[in-house]
Amino acid sequence: ENEKMYYDDLDISKYAVTMKKSTWDVPRNYENAARHVVNCIYKFDEKTDDGPPFGLVDGKNCLTFSSAEELMKKIDDIERANRYEELQEASHNWVQDYTSENVSRWVIPDE
């Protein structure tokens, strides 16, 4: 209903499902990771290597999947192995590398 409710929901979430919209560089991927929520990206294996987002690796800092069954198995495996915090931290570290300030340095290097 409102922005506060949206962020309150993110703050209690562990995983968030995203997918390609007009491009793969969906702002929600960054927003989720910034709020310590692990992205689960539908059919991300279809993304070409030449377009953003860069640096997302299945099982390291996100989860990729092609079916609900595949996603549930991956989540179950992570939870059973107590790997969630590791994945969550890697996801948050990924988004910190892609802040506007950091990305601008790639375009306009410090002199």
Side-chain angles (χ1 to χ4, degrees):
E1 290 184 27
N2 60 55
E3 187 176 14
K4 181 183 180 331
M5 289 175 68
Y6 172 75
Y7 286 111
D8 288 348
D9 190 44
L10 271 180
D11 289 341
I12 61 170
S13 298
K14 293 175 75 172
Y15 300 95
V17 173
T18 67
M19 61 188 290
K20 180 181 179 185
K21 302 291 183 174
S22 59
T23 70
W24 284 106
D25 199 24
V26 180
R28 182 149 300 158
N29 290 325
Y30 302 97
E31 185 176 51
N32 292 338
R35 300 294 280 209
H36 300 274
V37 179
V38 174
N39 284 299
C40 303
I41 309 171
Y42 180 62
K43 294 190 176 181
F44 194 62
D45 59 337
E46 295 177 3
K47 182 186 95 60
T48 60
D49 291 339
D50 60 348
F54 301 108
L56 287 172
V57 178
D58 183 33
K60 180 181 181 223
N61 56 12
C62 72
L63 297 177
T64 65
F65 68 100
S66 295
S67 69
E69 293 79 17
E70 179 184 11
L71 176 59
M72 294 311 296
K73 177 164 182 356
K74 285 182 175 186
I75 289 173
D76 188 52
D77 290 347
I78 287 164
E79 296 295 330
R80 287 177 192 249
N82 277 334
R83 288 193 53 238
Y84 178 75
E85 287 182 7
E86 168 192 333
L87 193 64
Q88 180 188 42
E89 182 178 349
S91 173
H92 192 255
N93 288 342
W94 166 79
V95 79
Q96 289 176 323
D97 289 341
Y98 288 89
T99 63
S100 298
E101 185 176 312
N102 286 341
V103 172
S104 70
R105 287 191 187 116
W106 303 337
V107 177
I108 307 169
D110 292 335
E111 298 192 36

